[in-house]
DNA sequence: AATGAAAGCTCTTAGAC
DNA sequence: GTCTAAGAGCTTTCATT
């Protein structure tokens, strides 16, 4: 399910916060001392701001971006999933339990779920989708390229 | 465009590498000393492995996961975009230049692009899509919940 | 590949503006 | 909310197995 409710009021970020987030997005493991240099504050103030952004919930977590191709996932697919009547919760569970589904959103409209799938081969697509097609109609698109890779939203 | 070509051969990860990646995915800023404790190695060996995973391209980058709701993006949409004849490159450029499109994949099939959009309001959806609809047909789904948030693929 | 010890940095805490 | 200063803690190097 959705991870948590929205914060009551949106956080307001100043220029320094924006610079900090951009720097952390580019390299989350850089030392506070270097972040401090980049944003033009002392190390303690910088550390304090990072903690505040975490406390406010702006920073959800620090994480690592994996390249699926380096792990042999040569194929990426985006699958729209429309559960058959009465199968919605079961379909959701099936998707959650298959680790090759690396992302799944429940959306308005005819296709209930939109999911991202990492695959080693085209045969594996068939194999994985067969676990879903007993309970849902699916519509699959293979990713050819990624004009915009996950990026920060505008921080204005 | 796509960021780079796939590595020649997929990296092979042992149990320790997998534990490291899982730990870094959960908190990319934790000290090497703590990572070392978790995976049961010394700090120097652990630091060496992290460097190797980066050099191999398995780790693309260390980054920060932002909560769009904490920034006032109360709405998230997934938009399929089908450029009109001859408008493909222009549509791609338009999408790339609008920062609210935080992700976009070019896919096989009728709908050329599948994009994720962060929005402050439903009015803003209209406003942003109007910049695309001169050159493409769009089909929009509003995200209601996220059964699977971005997660690591199987590391086997 | 991995380890331990030591040098060198980095982080945090404390106290002041 | 920010700073400097100093002690605590971390990372890295290197010799060793």
């Amino acid at each position: 399910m959705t991870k948590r409710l929205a914060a009551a009021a949106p956080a307001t970020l100043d220029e320094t916060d924006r610079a900090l987030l951009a720097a952390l997005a580019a390299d989350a493991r850089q030392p506070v001392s270097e972040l401090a240099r980049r944003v033009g504050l002392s190390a303690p103030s910088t550390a304090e701001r990072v903690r505040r952004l975490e406390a406010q919930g702006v920073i959800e977590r620090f994480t690592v971006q994996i390249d699926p191709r380096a792990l042999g996932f040569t194929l990426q697919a985006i699958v729209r999933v429309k559960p058959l009547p009465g199968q919605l919760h079961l379909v959701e569970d099936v998707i959650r339990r298959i680790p090759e589904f690396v992302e799944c959103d429940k959306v308005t409209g005819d296709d209930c779920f939109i999911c991202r799938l990492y695959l080693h081969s085209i045969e594996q697509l068939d194999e994985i989708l067969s676990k879903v097609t007993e309970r849902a109609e699916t519509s699959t698109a293979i990713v050819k390229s990624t004009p915009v890779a996950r990026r920060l939203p505008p921080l204005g």
Side-chain angles (χ1 to χ4, degrees), chain A:
Chain A
M1 281 298 168
T2 303
K3 283 155 78 188
R4 59 175 197 71
L5 294 173
T12 28
L13 307 178
D14 64 15
E15 205 42 66
T16 306
D17 289 324
R18 285 193 277 272
L20 256 181
L21 287 174
L24 285 169
D27 179 7
R29 271 188 78 81
Q30 61 188 304
V32 171
S33 56
E34 196 174 330
L35 288 170
R37 246 169 275 138
R38 285 187 209 277
V39 305
L41 283 184
S42 67
S45 304
T46 304
E48 171 64 28
R49 275 177 183 258
V50 174
R51 273 191 294 270
R52 208 192 60 211
L53 288 167
E54 284 188 83
Q56 282 178 134
V58 174
I59 294 176
E60 227 162 52
R61 61 201 243 265
F62 298 103
T63 190
V64 70
Q65 196 178 303
I66 297 291
D67 182 352
R69 290 162 302 190
L71 296 177
F73 292 101
T74 50
L75 233 53
Q76 211 173 322
I78 294 176
V79 185
R80 292 185 285 137
V81 178
K82 180 185 180 178
L84 300 175
Q87 301 290 303
L88 192 133
H89 289 290
L90 268 169
V91 167
E92 190 173 319
D93 285 346
V94 168
I95 291 169
R96 211 190 265 110
R97 288 203 184 98
I98 299 175
E100 283 82 2
F101 282 104
V102 295
E103 188 172 36
C104 174
D105 292 286
K106 192 177 187 184
V107 298
T108 60
D110 233 36
D111 303 302
C112 230
F113 299 105
I114 300 181
C115 311
R116 185 178 299 263
L117 202 43
Y118 284 172
L119 300 161
H120 286 103
S121 64
I122 196 75
E123 289 80 22
Q124 203 190 1
L125 175 63
D126 207 45
E127 194 181 295
I128 288 177
L129 284 188
S130 71
K131 295 174 188 164
V132 177
T133 44
E134 306 158 18
R135 305 182 189 284
E137 288 174 32
T138 65
S139 157
T140 302
I142 302 290
V143 174
K144 292 188 288 188
S145 69
T146 301
V148 179
R150 253 328 160 122
R151 65 181 174 190
L152 286 182
L155 301 175

